[in-house]
Amino acid sequence: MKNIRSLWITFAIVVGVGFSVIGFYGFEIYREAPPYPDKVVGQDGTVLFTKKDIQDGQRVWQSIGGQELGSIWGHGAYVAPDWNADWIHREAVFILDEWAMQGHGKTYEKCDPTQKAVLRERLKALIRKNTYDPATKTITLNQDIVRAIEHNTDYYTRLFSDDKELAHLREKYAMKENTLSEPVALKQLNAFFFWSSWACTTERPGKNITYTHNWPSDELVGNKADGSLILWTGFSIIMLLLGIGILSFYHAKSHKDDVHEGVLPDEDPLKGLNPTPSMRATLKYFWVVSLLILVQVIFGVITAHYGVEGQGLYGIPLSDILPYSVTRTWHVQIAIFWIATSWLATGLYIAPAISGKDPKFQVLGVNFLFLSLLIIVVGSMIGELLGVLQKLDLDTNYWFGHQGLEYVDLGRFWQIYLFIGLILWLVLMLRALGPALVRKHADKNLLFIFVMSTVAIALFYGAGLMWGRHSHLSMIEYWRWWVIHLWVEGFFEVFATVVIAFLFVRMKLLDIGTATAGTIASAAIFLSGGIIGTFHHLYFTGTPTAVLALGSTFSALEVVPLVLMGYEAFHNYRISKITEWIKNYKWPIYFFISVSFWNFLGAGIFGFLINPPIALYHMQGLNTTPVHSHTALFGVYGMLGIGLTLFVIKGLSAQKPWKEGVIKFTFWALNIGLLLMVLISVLPVGLAQTVASVNEGMWYARSAEFTQTEVMRFFKWLRVIGDTIFAIGSVTLTYFIIGLKTGWSLKHD
């Protein structure tokens, strides 16, 4: 008991300190974010843009898909350019060519090295100077920059409309014709592109780094990695090694064998479990989960194909009705929906099993929540399509359309509806757990952390409601990553750990004391790096240097517990073998084993590949990011969701053993397909882009000139191998799960 108390104190300190730090620096981000000027003027006083133009331009960008079509500050999709890197380089080349023609009678590229060096230094002095006046809230621009802006505005206006000369680029960027057609909207979009790029090249007052820490890299404007990136990268590696050493010592000191084969039950303890009506009502959630997996994979295949055939699918002009920005949105959003649904439904199944009975109207609540989730999924998808097709005005789009923010693209109305749904889920969970909470029993501590994670899941999605229509982009990114990192990667992880512990305890495979201590310790260790580690997503989003220092240090600690994933995998493997009856749960446990593998590879190795500041400086916005996101999101959370789904269905369906052929094929197809997708396609493309980013700059690594070369297209096409195997696995998974209802997946005497 003393050990448990110490663990709770440690957990409380970790959570308290973590949220105090990110709360304080949230205010610092707000205070030091690059300013929105009231107006941008030339030296002659001509007004180029107003604050309203910039803010409405941000909303226009969001309405066309935002981060699902190219990226801003490195966050977003990867087929189209990073619009900041592209804008900056075009602006620089225009000015340098003008000066070179005036001074030497030839373009910049034809100048000799000495002439180029002089021109570059002149450009750096001009473009990096901060001409924002806080008193008047005005940015005053040199006329050379004004002409470059006019040049860029003309180019992007033609690119985002239907200029035939740029049709080849739209195809390579997976942009539909007439992404925007209204002249006012096009002007506003250019205002936003200018401002967000200005923040990348303009030095903070009194410092020699820009608002985005000199990101994106481009030698022409003097954007290169500064010393702080290297310093904090080195420090993060030291913290990683230190953390691994301490955790290894703690594990060796405190570890004891928690699987005692001699005292395991002879029969399945869950065999006699009589599911309550609300537990049985969760079964339809898992049928929908299996169908959503299939739909998500279909949109993933279409989205990946847009990378080689930008406006069609094997000759079918699909982009007219389903643009890339829509299929990518749906691919990502449906993944979040089905993974979250599988976990939420597991909670609704587990809660009455713990307390032993249903509260009054529990079935009604479970059914109403199910209907609400269906409405949110379908309604938000329709709204996002209408938004990208520009069928909604900006205000309607904000409420019902496409917010243009990766992972939280759904309109504000659907966000609020989902938040209310999560609150309803929380109420249903607490009502079901109520009788267990008031009883005295040995697993009270485990139950308490289960309740805490349940409350956190419901409430932390509310962070997605903290920005509004005109919020600063830096603050939107701050709160967006609360949802992605803390909600999805943080408290869902804790929730899943507790659920698995409860399942194994109820099956009498784990001792309650060991499970409780292990769960609290795991949560404390994970959150010690995970809470403040949220900042590693915010290095280059207009944040102060302290955010970079904290993010790099604590994100390294996130990797520390993952080095012991091999032990967890072996532990689960032993569990699957120790008794005859446990073999009935072989495949759910195997999916838990794959979670350990992907946690180590996807979250650990591929995560740390891009997390250190100097690495992310050159990799942000490249295909090294989807290497991590695919293997962590589907590899960890997706496989876990499938494992929980199979576990619950096993408890709800007939106790007959399963036929192994289809589910065995499914397991290996999903894991091998995902591995091949990454190793032979996405990772080589990302590494090649990294080399290009280091040697030439981010603009080149994301340009059609580089990404559409024959070699790069070859590696993109190689993705078909892994994608096909993975897609077949998703089909057989749905087939198998449906067969558990129809009987074709069950063995018959």
Side-chain angles (χ1 to χ4, degrees), residues 32-93:
E32 297 193 32
Y36 283 137
D38 282 351
K39 56 184 177 179
V40 180
V41 302
Q43 287 177 320
D44 60 358
T46 302
V47 177
L48 304 175
F49 306 118
T50 64
K51 181 178 182 178
K52 185 177 186 304
D53 290 333
I54 295 168
Q55 291 183 320
D56 284 348
Q58 181 174 308
R59 297 173 68 196
V60 169
W61 165 70
Q62 291 175 266
S63 76
I64 61 175
Q67 293 176 342
E68 307 293 355
L69 183 64
S71 58
I72 290 290
W73 290 350
H75 291 288
Y78 314 103
V79 177
D82 179 88
W83 302 116
N84 300 129
D86 194 59
W87 176 288
I88 291 164
H89 193 74
R90 291 180 183 279
E91 179 182 0
V93 169

Side-chain angles (χ1 to χ4, degrees), residues 104-260:
H104 307 291
K106 52 189 174 184
T107 63
Y108 171 77
E109 280 302 318
K110 293 181 180 179
C111 290
D112 62 46
T114 302
Q115 293 169 334
K116 284 184 176 180
V118 172
L119 290 170
R120 281 199 307 272
E121 290 304 311
R122 180 182 171 191
L123 177 63
K124 292 174 189 177
L126 173 68
I127 209 166
R128 297 179 70 84
K129 183 179 180 182
N130 194 332
T131 58
Y132 174 74
D133 183 351
T136 62
K137 297 183 179 180
T138 300
I139 296 175
T140 303
L141 299 176
N142 177 280
Q143 291 305 117
D144 293 326
I145 295 179
V146 171
R147 287 192 296 275
I149 290 172
E150 292 170 349
H151 171 79
N152 278 6
T153 298
D154 175 69
Y155 166 76
Y156 287 109
T157 298
R158 293 187 294 120
L159 178 66
F160 278 83
S161 54
D162 61 353
D163 187 278
K164 296 189 183 302
E165 290 184 8
L166 298 180
H168 69 289
L169 277 182
R170 281 192 292 276
E171 182 174 2
K172 290 177 179 178
Y173 294 163
M175 296 173 64
K176 74 182 189 73
E177 300 296 314
N178 269 323
T179 300
L180 283 172
S181 57
E182 293 294 327
V184 173
L186 286 163
K187 179 192 174 184
Q188 292 166 338
L189 179 68
N190 277 284
F192 173 66
F193 280 0
F194 156 76
W195 171 82
S196 54
S197 301
W198 173 86
C200 296
T201 58
T202 301
E203 294 182 351
R204 287 183 175 275
K207 298 185 178 180
N208 59 0
I209 57 169
T210 70
Y211 287 102
T212 58
H213 287 96
N214 291 348
W215 192 94
S217 58
D218 193 329
E219 281 288 330
L220 294 185
V221 296
N223 269 10
K224 57 184 180 180
D226 76 309
S228 66
L229 297 176
I230 300 171
L231 169 66
W232 291 111
T233 294
F235 190 73
S236 70
I237 294 172
I238 293 171
M239 290 298 292
L240 172 63
L241 297 175
L242 179 63
I244 291 174
I246 294 173
L247 183 61
S248 299
F249 174 79
Y250 173 80
H251 180 73
K253 178 176 178 291
S254 61
H255 170 66
K256 59 181 180 179
D257 191 356
D258 50 5
V259 179
H260 305 289

Side-chain angles (χ1 to χ4, degrees), residues 671-741:
N671 282 282
I672 292 173
L674 181 57
L675 191 64
L676 289 176
M677 177 201 309
V678 169
L679 292 184
I680 69 175
S681 179
V682 186
L683 181 60
V685 170
L687 293 178
Q689 285 183 299
T690 301
V691 173
S693 175
V694 172
N695 291 338
E696 302 293 337
M698 181 58 63
W699 68 273
Y700 181 68
R702 289 285 298 273
S703 69
E705 178 185 356
F706 179 74
T707 60
Q708 296 297 328
T709 60
E710 288 301 315
V711 173
M712 295 292 279
R713 288 175 64 84
F714 169 75
F715 279 109
K716 289 180 182 180
W717 273 109
L718 281 181
R719 183 168 171 173
V720 171
I721 299 171
D723 282 7
T724 301
I725 296 172
F726 188 87
I728 294 172
S730 68
V731 172
T732 57
L733 175 65
T734 303
Y735 173 85
F736 178 81
I737 290 177
I738 294 174
L740 294 175
K741 177 68 174 177

Side-chain angles (χ1 to χ4, degrees), residues 302-347:
I302 295 172
T303 302
H305 190 78
Y306 270 133
V308 291
E309 189 183 349
Q311 294 179 326
L313 180 68
Y314 296 105
I316 303 172
L318 193 62
S319 67
D320 292 339
I321 54 174
L322 279 181
Y324 168 84
S325 54
V326 172
T327 63
R328 188 179 189 273
T329 298
W330 289 352
H331 173 61
V332 174
Q333 182 171 290
I334 291 173
I336 298 293
F337 278 148
W338 77 254
I339 290 171
T341 298
S342 67
W343 294 16
L344 296 177
T346 299

Side-chain angles (χ1 to χ4, degrees), residues 351-572:
I354 293 172
S355 63
K357 63 178 183 179
D358 275 347
K360 195 175 182 180
F361 303 121
Q362 185 78 355
V363 175
L364 176 63
V366 171
N367 290 334
F368 180 77
L369 179 61
F370 175 76
L371 179 62
S372 294
L373 289 174
L374 288 181
I375 293 172
I376 291 167
V377 171
V378 176
S380 64
M381 290 174 66
I382 293 172
E384 286 156 350
L385 175 63
L386 294 176
V388 170
L389 294 179
Q390 297 297 289
K391 303 298 184 182
L392 308 175
D393 61 56
L394 290 181
D395 286 335
T396 307
N397 179 73
Y398 169 78
W399 283 104
F400 299 100
H402 201 304
Q403 287 204 63
L405 303 169
E406 195 175 25
Y407 297 102
V408 281
D409 289 304
L410 62 169
R412 179 50 56 91
F413 171 81
W414 305 112
Q415 276 188 296
I416 294 172
Y417 195 172
L418 180 55
F419 184 59
I420 293 172
L422 289 168
I423 297 298
L424 172 60
W425 174 79
L426 173 62
V427 171
L428 293 173
M429 291 288 292
L430 294 179
R431 291 175 76 244
L433 291 169
L437 288 170
V438 298
R439 288 199 305 259
K440 289 185 177 181
H441 45 76
D443 58 359
K444 197 69 172 280
N445 283 289
L446 191 59
L447 182 61
F448 187 56
I449 195 169
F450 184 44
V451 170
M452 286 180 58
S453 63
T454 300
V455 172
I457 286 172
L459 298 185
F460 269 80
Y461 186 77
L465 305 177
M466 297 302 291
W467 65 80
R469 277 172 280 191
H470 299 291
S471 292
H472 195 287
L473 184 59
S474 295
M475 294 309 301
I476 291 176
E477 285 297 285
Y478 171 76
W479 289 115
R480 184 173 76 93
W481 285 106
W482 271 60
V483 177
I484 302 168
H485 192 87
L486 291 174
W487 185 64
V488 177
E489 299 179 29
F491 289 101
F492 262 119
E493 179 97 8
V494 175
F495 176 78
T497 302
V498 183
V499 166
I500 294 173
F502 258 118
L503 289 172
F504 285 171
V505 167
R506 289 301 168 118
M507 296 168 73
K508 300 184 179 178
L509 298 174
L510 287 180
D511 170 75
I512 181 63
T514 302
T516 300
T519 300
I520 300 172
S522 296
I525 292 169
F526 181 79
L527 294 176
S528 66
I531 296 175
I532 303 176
T534 304
F535 283 161
H536 80 260
H537 299 285
L538 304 176
Y539 292 161
F540 312 119
T541 57
T543 56
T545 302
V547 168
L548 184 148
L550 290 166
S552 60
T553 300
F554 284 88
S555 66
L557 294 179
E558 288 184 88
V559 181
V560 170
L562 304 182
V563 301
L564 297 181
M565 283 296 114
Y567 166 75
E568 183 175 326
F570 179 69
H571 170 268
N572 288 336

